Amino acid sequence: MHGCRHANDLPIPAPDATPPEELDGDNFTAVLPHEDDDAGTVYFRRLCMHCADPACVSACPVHALAKRDDGAVVYDRDLCIGCRYCFVACPFHVPTYTWTRTAPVVRKCFLCAHRLDAGQIPGCAAACPTGATVFGPRDVLLHLAREQIAAHPDRYVDHILGEHEAGGTDVLMIASIPFADLGIWTDVIERPLPELTWMVQEKIPYVIGTGGLLLGGLYWVINRRMRLGREGGEES
Amino acid sequence: MIRRRITVTRVILAIILLGGLVITVRRFALGLGAVTNLSDSTPWGLWVGFDVISGVALASGGFTMAFLAHISGDHQLRPLARPAILTALIGYLLVVMSLIYDLGLPWHMLNVVLNPNIHSVMFEVAWCVMLYTMVLFLEFLPSVFERFRAERWRRWLHAAAVPLYVLGIVLSTLHQSSLGSLYLIAPGKLHPLWYTEMLPLMFFLSALVIGMAMVMVEASLSARFLQHRLPMDALARLGQYLLFVVLLYVAFRVQDLTYRGVWDRVLDGSYESTFFVVENLLFLIALPILLHPGWRRRPATLISAGYLLVIAVVMHRLDVTFVGMRRATGAAYVPTLEEFWISLFLVTCGALVFGLAARTLPVFERGDGHAHDDAHADAGGAGRHRLA
């Protein structure tokens, strides 16, 4: 968390401050405790999952959110109109907003894109002393996660969060208890979410074409019949 | 003609307007957080759920009546078309106003045109609302030309009338349904009672319902407050069309619940099921009124069916935006007084503009509409309908 704050110029809280319970504008990531009946206190991380096909990027009407080739889902405040459809679209409840500002912006983990550009790894992975958070190409990380699960079947549940969720994410997690027990991320489907709206969006040209022709044709037929009816009425 | 008197109504109006101005200043000087209860877990509040998503539906009488009266050629409905188009124009202007209040960075709004993402449902909504507001303006312009006797301009625009109606109907079909499509991307969040791949169709059908129902409600309001005669023949005829779309809506609702196998959730007694049952009961209560030919022809019963259906569809919209999303976001949202006030403020502005336009422009058809003659001056509206 401190690595993240330093890397992103976020305010550093006082040492005795209560830790955040959720992501917010000053906390791009949070390490949260979960009291489990069997396993005791389990810690898990919240952060942007950097979906391979992000719902937020597809939902943004102005390309203010974008997926970079290196995996980072980044944000451009100069494009954002502040509609907050990305909040509705995100299956992981990640985006946060600076509600109290007069020019509010979306705040979330950007995978330290500025550090990636400088050839560095994200602040959280750089700061992590135990290797609990590591950075690398997705296929390498997947391999690593599978190895860990295979090597310690007693320690890990055989589920890599992000391997399939929302069509796959570029942040992957493994844990000692089922992710469903954490109470979040339970309803995430495995299909990439943008497909669900694109199925409808892609039909727009056809609606315009057929709709226009149908309505025009309807008007023409009805109008003609009424005119003929009137003329017929006059003759008889 | 214009009497400057202090009445209770005017004092209330003044309070609403002044309060609205104060909150407007606070909204833009201090930010969304200062006047709303919006949060990261409830990013869309009353201004989106009511003013925008319900507001667009409330204004759908414009395209519905354009279709019935002008495209399908039911000339009996003609007297209802112009007031409906005026309401729609004012309604869409209010939607744009609400967006300026609700968007975080409204001064970036032009980016929807400059840098559009065609994959976004919000792009479709924004473009259609923008284009349709312009179309509505052109559809309404003939009234202005008539008022100022600009005969050449009126005839010129008259030639474009049918293409404009067609364009308006197509744009409306697209964005009325896409208000439902907005939620297609949130399958894990929206409660399964409301989340269905049919959301766009359900939103479109319910837009037809509320469009016609609003025309009835407005006719009764204009009868009461603007001393117009209630065009009962046209309204009873409209009741038949309304019956048809309500039946269609209910049929699709039943079919959808059956197909997805979620009937057990309808009566599981949960918070969501209660709202869902009430919402759909409102549609069902209105059905017999519309089915019964006698009740359909009686103003009191027909207008109540109209009110019921308006409430039903607005409730459906609010259920999708708040009730259905609550479990996933985990936060209860109650709008602030300021949020309610701004909604009231905008609706009041709309009603005042409507009243002004109705008094100064030929919106209501002569003969059927105008009742400024002394015989009707103070009898007070809704009861004086013309029976067939």
Side-chain angles (χ1 to χ4, degrees):
Chain A
M1 280 157 79
H2 274 282
C4 175
R5 289 185 182 124
H6 284 294
N8 292 290
D9 288 328
L10 299 173
I12 311 290
D16 56 343
T18 45
E21 288 171 13
E22 246 307 345
L23 301 178
D24 59 46
D26 292 332
N27 291 286
F28 292 177
T29 186
V31 177
L32 303 177
H34 169 80
E35 300 303 329
D36 191 73
D37 294 340
D38 305 321
T41 307
V42 179
Y43 288 91
F44 67 103
R45 268 190 76 186
R46 289 265 285 131
L47 75 162
C48 174
M49 300 296 284
H50 297 278
C51 305
D53 190 357
C56 60
V57 170
S58 122
C60 180
V62 290
H63 291 298
L65 288 159
K67 177 81 174 169
R68 305 206 317 179
D69 290 339
D70 57 18
V73 176
V74 293
Y75 170 73
D76 184 345
R77 67 171 68 189
D78 293 329
L79 292 174
C80 178
I81 58 171
C83 71
R84 311 184 297 279
Y85 186 31
C86 48
F87 289 65
V88 174
C90 175
F92 300 103
H93 305 273
V94 164
T96 69
Y97 212 47
T98 52
W99 293 101
T100 50
R101 298 231 207 116
T102 46
V105 290
V106 173
R107 307 276 277 167
K108 70 170 197 72
C109 160
F110 303 117
L111 207 62
C112 285
H114 58 291
R115 286 173 62 96
L116 297 181
D117 288 340
Q120 298 167 298
I121 67 170
C124 56
C128 181
T130 62
T133 295
V134 290
F135 180 80
R138 187 173 192 265
D139 48 353
V140 173
L141 292 179
L142 260 180
H143 185 72
L144 193 70
R146 286 205 193 94
E147 266 182 2
Q148 285 286 321
I149 292 170
H152 308 281
D154 50 323
R155 205 191 290 167
Y156 296 109
V157 175
D158 189 10
H159 175 197
I160 303 172
L161 183 82
E163 187 177 10
H164 301 296
E165 280 80 3
T169 63
D170 287 344
V171 170
L172 304 168
M173 291 189 198
I174 52 176
S176 58
I177 59 167
F179 286 103
D181 291 0
L182 294 173
I184 54 170
W185 308 315
T186 48
D187 292 321
V188 185
I189 64 166
E190 298 202 339
R191 222 169 134 192
L193 296 164
E195 283 178 7
L196 298 169
T197 40
W198 183 242
M199 278 186 330
V200 179
Q201 287 288 104
E202 66 177 355
K203 301 195 175 72
I204 293 176
Y206 309 108
V207 174
I208 296 174
T210 0
L213 280 175
L214 217 62
L215 289 166
L218 191 68
Y219 172 79
W220 185 78
V221 169
I222 290 175
N223 198 43
R224 184 167 171 276
R225 282 175 65 176
M226 287 198 301
R227 206 181 56 234
L228 290 178
R230 271 201 303 275
E231 284 166 8
E234 280 162 17
E235 278 166 25
S236 59
Chain B
M1 178 78 199
I2 301 165
R3 288 158 295 172
R4 302 242 176 258
R5 273 188 321 195
I6 297 176
T7 61
V8 178
T9 322
R10 285 181 193 178
V11 170
I12 294 173
L13 283 178
I15 293 173
I16 294 174
L17 295 182
L18 275 175
L21 290 178
V22 172
I23 299 167
T24 303
V25 172
R26 278 173 55 83
R27 150 72 186 91
F28 289 103
L30 302 173
L32 281 167
V35 292
T36 69
N37 265 345
L38 295 173
S39 66
D40 294 337
S41 39
T42 313
W44 283 356
L46 186 73
W47 294 345
V48 173
F50 179 73
D51 296 63
V52 176
I53 294 185
S54 304
V56 166
L58 285 162
S60 67
F63 90 93
T64 316
M65 297 314 295
F67 174 75
L68 291 176
H70 293 287
I71 298 300
S72 88
D74 193 329
H75 289 230
Q76 221 184 335
L77 296 180
R78 282 272 165 96
L80 300 175
R82 237 183 215 187
I85 286 169
L86 173 62
T87 317
L89 175 61
I90 293 171
Y92 275 84
L93 291 174
L94 290 183
V95 168
V96 175
M97 289 288 296
S98 318
L99 281 173
I100 294 174
Y101 279 88
D102 187 76
L103 289 179
L105 302 164
W107 50 92
H108 287 175
M109 219 150 62
L110 215 57
N111 285 344
V112 176
V113 181
L114 300 176
N115 209 33
N117 172 19
I118 58 159
H119 285 261
S120 170
V121 181
M122 194 57 87
F123 148 82
E124 183 187 349
V125 173
W127 272 64
C128 285
V129 166
M130 192 173 58
L131 292 172
Y132 185 49
T133 308
M134 292 181 208
V135 168
L136 276 170
F137 179 71
L138 292 175
E139 286 180 7
F140 182 68
L141 216 47
S143 313
V144 181
F145 291 155
E146 271 173 38
R147 167 72 179 76
F148 294 102
R149 300 204 163 72
E151 197 43 37
R152 262 180 61 198
W153 287 93
R154 198 192 65 81
R155 238 178 297 152
W156 184 79
L157 203 60
H158 185 74
V162 172
L164 276 175
Y165 289 133
V166 169
L167 183 61
I169 295 163
V170 170
L171 289 171
S172 296
T173 309
L174 286 174
H175 71 269
Q176 292 288 356
S177 58
S178 31
L179 289 176
S181 315
L182 280 175
Y183 285 90
L184 284 179
I185 205 159
K189 290 181 165 181
L190 183 59
H191 191 272
L193 280 175
W194 290 280
Y195 187 90
T196 156
E197 289 190 358
M198 308 251 285
L199 267 171
L201 183 69
M202 298 315 286
F203 267 61
F204 176 68
L205 287 175
S206 57
L208 296 180
V209 171
I210 197 175
M212 294 182 209
M214 262 311 271
V215 169
M216 293 177 178
V217 168
E218 283 154 20
S220 102
L221 290 178
S222 326
R224 180 158 306 164
F225 294 109
L226 299 171
Q227 285 83 42
H228 288 291
R229 207 177 292 174
L230 205 58
M232 201 52 215
D233 283 350
L235 289 178
R237 180 110 180 104
L238 185 62
Q240 290 180 316
Y241 290 107
L242 183 53
L243 170 65
F244 175 70
V245 284
V246 174
L247 279 173
L248 212 59
Y249 179 85
V250 171
F252 273 106
R253 178 61 80 200
V254 169
Q255 211 179 352
D256 176 60
L257 292 173
T258 313
Y259 175 75
R260 293 186 299 119
V262 287
W263 275 104
D264 52 328
R265 284 183 184 261
V266 175
L267 291 170
D268 67 4
S270 63
Y271 167 76
E272 289 88 354
S273 77
T274 314
F275 278 86
F276 187 79
V277 167
V278 172
E279 165 197 325
N280 286 288
L281 268 184
L282 291 171
F283 286 97
L284 294 178
I285 298 170
L287 259 184
I289 304 178
L290 295 171
L291 267 167
H292 192 290
W295 289 346
R296 207 167 51 220
R297 304 202 68 80
R298 198 181 308 151
T301 41
L302 183 69
I303 302 296
S304 357
Y307 272 104
L308 273 175
L309 290 169
V310 167
I311 297 168
V313 178
V314 170
M315 188 171 170
H316 171 240
R317 299 294 199 259
L318 296 181
D319 281 352
V320 170
T321 18
F322 303 124
V323 181
M325 295 291 278
R326 186 177 155 176
R327 189 164 294 187
T329 54
Y333 159 81
V334 180
T336 57
L337 177 67
E338 285 99 327
E339 288 178 87
F340 281 115
W341 199 293
I342 286 297
S343 295
L344 180 69
F345 169 69
L346 290 174
V347 172
T348 308
C349 291
L352 290 175
V353 172
F354 184 89
L356 186 72
R359 278 171 219 273
T360 52
L361 298 171
V363 174
F364 291 90
E365 239 167 52
R366 279 168 296 273
D368 225 342
H370 280 245
H372 282 303
D373 45 308
D374 293 336
H376 297 296
D378 47 17
R384 284 177 292 102
H385 60 280
R386 211 181 43 183
L387 282 169

